[in-house]
Structure formats: C-alpha cells, structure tokens
Amino acid sequence: MMKRALISVYDKENILDFAKFLVENGVEIISTGGTYKYLKENNIDVLEVSSVTGVNEMLDGRVKTLHPNIHGGILAIRSNENHMKSLKENNIDTIDYVIVNLYPFFEKVNDNISFEEKVEFIDIGGPTMLRSAAKSFEDVVVISDKKDYELVKNELINDKVVSYNTRKYLASKVFNLTSSYDAAIANFLSDDIEKEYLSVSYKKEMNLRYGENSHQKAVFYTDTVNKSAMNNIEKLNGKELSFNNIRDMDLAWKLACEFEKPACVATKHSTPCGVAVSFDVYSAYIKAYTSDPVSIFGGVIAFNKTVDEKTASELVKIFLEIVIAPDFTEKALEVLKTKKNLRVIKCSVKASDKYEYIKVDGGILVQEADNTIYDELEFVTDKKPSEKELDDLEFAMKVCKYVKSNAIVIAKDNVTLGIGGGEVSRIWASENAVERAKKFNLDNLVLASDAFFPFSDVVEYVAKNKVVSIIQPGGSIKDQDSIDKCNELGISMVFSKIRHFKH
C-alpha cells in the first residue's frame, strides 16, 4: 500500500525540499489551502484535501481536515483487525506522515490587531491533526517542528524507516507544543488568577551553562503571551547569561524602573546593595557605588536612563557581571566593549508581569505581583516628616520592597546608606543596616521597614543612631508602643499600610 503524508504548514520554510524527498520515495501527498497551492505552484505532485474528504473547505477555511476520512486514516491502529476493517468498509486510506505547523498565535497575540483578529489565529484543525498523529505515533510519523525534517529524512535514507524512539520523541514534542499553545490561548481569553487549572505557556530561550550551582542543569524560558522585560532584552556585548545573572538582572531592572528620575541600582545575590537617584546617570552611579563599594564588585548594575560615555568610563574601572539600561550612546558602548566579558544588556521595556510563581515541592504558589508602594500614608506621630524626609522615605520604601525579609533600608538624599535583609529578627536586620550606615557619619537619616514593628526596640535602637523618620506598614497589635516611643524620642513615623514581604 502506498504511504500517504498530510502536509499543512503556515511556516513553509524548507517544506519544498522535504515534500520533494517524500514524493521521490513513493509517498503520496495530501495538502490543504495555501499549502496545497504552494506545493502545486512548485511542481510537487499533491492531492487537495477536499478530494479525500469529498467536502469542500468551508467557513472561510475554518473546516478543512475535520473529517473521518482524515482522522480515521490517522488514528487507525494498523495491527488492529477491526480498525483496518472499518477503514476498508468506509473507503478510508491510512495516513502515515502528518506534517503540520500551527497558525502563529504566539506571535499574533502581541500584535497591534483587534481581539477578533487574534481569535482567528487560534488554530483548531492543526492541533487536532497533530494530537491524533501523536497518539498514533507507533504507526504515524508526526512532525510539528520544521527543524525535524532533516532528522526524519536522514533516518529514512539510512534505515528506510523512522525508528520507534524517534516517532515517540516527535509525538512528545507535539503534546509539549499543543499544551503550551492551548495555555497561551487560555491566558489570552482570561487572566483570572483563580482559574481551576494553572495554565502557563513558556518557550525555551536558551540552555544555561548551569543553575545556581555548577551541578544543577538550567534552562531559560520566556513567556509566549506577555511580552515584558526579560523577554525583550538584547545582549550588546559579553559572555552568555547565566542563571544567577538573569535573576539578579531581573531584580535590578525592576527596582530601577520604580524611579522616574535617573537611577542606578546595584544588586548582588538577588538583593540590592547600592541604590541612588540623582540628576543624571553618572551622579547616580557614583552615589550608588560609594554607598557600598565592596559588595558592588562582581555585581549587576541597572540604569533607568541612557548610559553615556562618562558613566561607562567609571563602570569599566571595576569588575561587573552585567550593565543593563534602556540604551547606550555609541561612545559608551565603545568603552564598555573594552571589557570583553562584561555583559551589556539593552532593555527598553519596563517590568509588567501581573503574577508571580513560587515552586514548592509538589505544587506552585501563585500571587499577584507586588506592583505598588502605598495607597495612602498615615502620619501617626506628633512630629511629621519634612517634605525632604518624606521624599527619602518613599525612596527607601521602594528599595525595601526588593530586599529579602526582614528588610530594613536606611537612606538619605535618595541614596541607600545601610541595607539589612534576610534576617529572622527585625532588630538584627536593623543592626546590620545601622552598622553599614555608620561609616558615612551623617545625620538626619530615614528608615524603611517592609513590615510592622512587633516591639518598640527597633525605634529605640535606630533613634540612637541618627534616624529621624521611619516608614513602616503598621498593623501590629503593639503599634502604639512604637508610636509612643517615637513621640518620646522626638522622631516621626509614617504608616504605609501596605506590607512588602519578600521571602
């Protein structure tokens, strides 16, 4: 019996060569719509699918292959006598190869077209044929990825058949693709956080050398539906990105984008180590660097404005892993490229993820992204912060949001002076932040805390160390103890009413 192949591809790259190869090896080709026309115009001997189904395409091409003559030919188990008897009784021929790639929903969902136009790029017949063929992989060779044409071709040339393991592998690729395709559509139609099933759709961007540690394998996947910061980066210089690079860069970029004025953020081990806002990027970098010149070494630097030559000349004076910014002047790029391994990343898209996912053993936690600082401030002490102190308090709280809990940030003039985080006690985090701030010997400092004070000990300690104003969310049953202590010591306290735990 002559072998049959059904070919229906949106992306027609390399399909002509593969179709010619099949015909030359005695395979009869069936095709649909645009693919049929394309093959016919290029002198490939091909049958139109309507000649197999006996029904013309209808509903503007929505219905072409949804027919027993197609799916019966794909799904029949060749070793099952009843299946083969049914095919014979219904004059259905088997289909042995299914070569299909899908309407480009992943790409079109982000195009500037109407909702209705996007819906038309939801493929129905393609996934149905692919899934049918993948289920029947013991009898059917299914190809959903144009990169696999050569794999199948080489096996047919060398072994005359496509091996079981290859057919199984190709089937697994189909279900991997269609599950992600369906998930993208589900999330396009509804981004409700409380859906019955968690549908996520991510595509492999690159293999990474290793994960957090050298014995761990790692891969970077990017969202197929939501185009945000980390799937819109362009590497202009340097080595390939690592697992830890991407994590640090993500946090640094998010924090830099919190500010409107020129800002510089230095991160190390997924936590800020120096942050400053100033009148230009050069000044912001110098201030961020000065705030912690030790930790910044080997770190990641993010800017929210274009990096100029003057700033670049400072950046190359120390070892850095990454510099990320919306853009770089031509001269700045020339300077940065003198550091062969320095990863220079251009990103002009602000962070916009709606949800965060945390993997636990046997499950995934999903929450809305923490995309706010505070809604309304409550001034709870007799003394009120000055306008300048209030500006510094807001700055410190923006940084605090990105520091591991328990988080304490001490700042002045929109520059971090002491950062304490990742401690199991808030007083310990405060002590760490104060010790780092002491070396600057400055007065009139402000402090931000990611969560409430369960005792008045933090207020008492930091007031002895030149902190004059505090911002914290409030919400403890002992809030009044901290308020009373502030009033006793003559410092101001503001409640943000929003907690920013980062575990």
Side-chain angles (χ1 to χ4, degrees), residues 363-376:
I364 293 179
L365 298 167
V366 183
Q367 67 175 353
E368 293 178 328
D370 186 2
N371 289 328
T372 189
I373 299 297
Y374 52 77
D375 291 327
E376 184 181 357

Side-chain angles (χ1 to χ4, degrees), residues 305-317:
K305 306 292 181 187
T306 300
V307 173
D308 56 20
E309 182 183 10
K310 184 179 180 183
T311 308
S313 297
E314 289 294 325
L315 291 167
V316 296
K317 289 180 179 179

Side-chain angles (χ1 to χ4, degrees), residues 155-440:
E155 285 205 10
L156 288 172
I157 290 171
N158 296 322
D159 304 320
K160 306 305 179 188
V161 294
V162 179
S163 70
Y164 175 88
N165 286 338
T166 296
R167 283 182 275 121
K168 184 167 175 264
Y169 162 73
L170 294 172
S172 75
K173 289 189 69 169
V174 165
F175 288 111
N176 182 247
L177 168 63
T178 57
S179 62
S180 187
Y181 194 81
D182 287 344
I185 295 165
N187 292 329
F188 161 68
L189 295 174
S190 170
D191 63 356
D192 180 7
I193 193 174
E194 297 179 310
K195 291 194 289 280
E196 186 70 19
Y197 298 97
L198 177 63
S199 302
V200 293
S201 180
Y202 287 80
K203 185 177 181 181
K204 187 169 81 171
E205 185 73 19
M206 67 181 88
N207 289 326
L208 302 172
R209 289 176 61 199
Y210 49 80
E212 283 184 285
N213 301 288
S214 59
H215 63 281
Q216 296 171 270
K217 287 185 178 180
V219 182
F220 180 39
Y221 291 87
T222 56
D223 197 324
T224 62
V225 177
N226 301 303
K227 296 302 180 186
S228 189
M230 291 301 108
N231 53 11
N232 274 279
I233 58 176
E234 181 184 359
K235 185 165 71 71
L236 306 177
N237 184 67
K239 297 189 294 185
E240 293 303 312
L241 291 163
S242 72
F243 184 96
N244 292 331
N245 288 158
I246 294 170
R247 289 195 67 192
D248 288 344
M249 182 171 64
D250 176 60
L251 184 137
W253 180 249
K254 285 175 179 173
L255 178 48
C257 289
E258 292 276 0
F259 305 104
E260 293 299 324
K261 293 179 181 178
C264 175
V265 175
T267 60
K268 191 79 168 287
H269 302 309
S270 234
T271 197
C273 60
V275 184
V277 170
S278 195
F279 55 87
D280 65 12
V281 293
Y282 175 79
S283 175
Y285 171 70
I286 295 300
K287 290 178 179 180
Y289 171 81
T290 304
S291 72
D292 191 348
V294 175
S295 299
I296 202 172
F297 184 85
V300 172
I301 305 293
F303 295 94
N304 63 348
K305 306 292 181 187
T306 300
V307 173
D308 56 20
E309 182 183 10
K310 184 179 180 183
T311 308
S313 297
E314 289 294 325
L315 291 167
V316 296
K317 289 180 179 179
I318 63 169
F319 168 62
L320 296 170
E321 291 281 1
I322 298 174
V323 177
I324 180 172
D327 209 351
F328 301 84
T329 66
E330 195 173 315
K331 290 289 186 182
L333 202 50
E334 286 179 15
V335 172
L336 294 170
K337 284 184 175 181
T338 62
K339 290 272 193 172
K340 184 178 68 173
N341 291 328
L342 173 63
R343 301 162 178 93
V344 179
I345 307 294
K346 180 178 176 179
C347 182
S348 55
V349 179
K350 289 188 176 182
S352 61
D353 278 348
K354 292 182 179 180
Y355 303 114
E356 296 174 341
Y357 303 90
I358 306 295
K359 183 72 179 75
V360 296
D361 198 22
I364 293 179
L365 298 167
V366 183
Q367 67 175 353
E368 293 178 328
D370 186 2
N371 289 328
T372 189
I373 299 297
Y374 52 77
D375 291 327
E376 184 181 357
L377 296 178
E378 181 181 359
F379 299 90
V380 296
T381 52
D382 297 337
K383 185 179 180 182
K384 304 297 183 282
S386 68
E387 196 170 313
K388 182 181 179 305
E389 288 166 354
L390 203 54
D391 182 57
D392 275 340
L393 288 170
E394 181 176 339
F395 165 82
M397 186 56 94
K398 285 181 177 179
V399 177
C400 198
K401 192 174 85 168
Y402 293 90
V403 177
K404 290 283 170 51
S405 301
N406 290 304
I408 297 290
V409 174
I410 296 175
K412 182 176 181 175
D413 297 331
N414 280 201
V415 180
T416 55
L417 303 177
I419 299 174
E423 296 286 357
V424 294
S425 162
R426 194 157 299 278
I427 189 65
W428 293 348
S430 301
E431 289 168 352
N432 286 339
V434 164
E435 285 304 308
R436 290 165 183 167
K438 274 182 178 179
K439 63 181 180 289
F440 296 98

Side-chain angles (χ1 to χ4, degrees), residues 75-88 94 138-139:
L75 284 165
I77 299 173
R78 302 338 187 231
S79 60
N80 186 310
E81 289 183 8
N82 288 330
H83 282 201
M84 299 311 289
K85 181 181 177 183
S86 292
L87 291 192
K88 187 174 182 180
T94 56
E138 291 195 41
D139 297 306

Side-chain angles (χ1 to χ4, degrees), residues 468-483:
V468 298
S469 191
I470 294 171
I471 185 169
Q472 57 127 322
S476 168
I477 59 173
K478 294 188 175 183
D479 276 347
Q480 194 59 48
D481 290 354
S482 293
I483 294 169

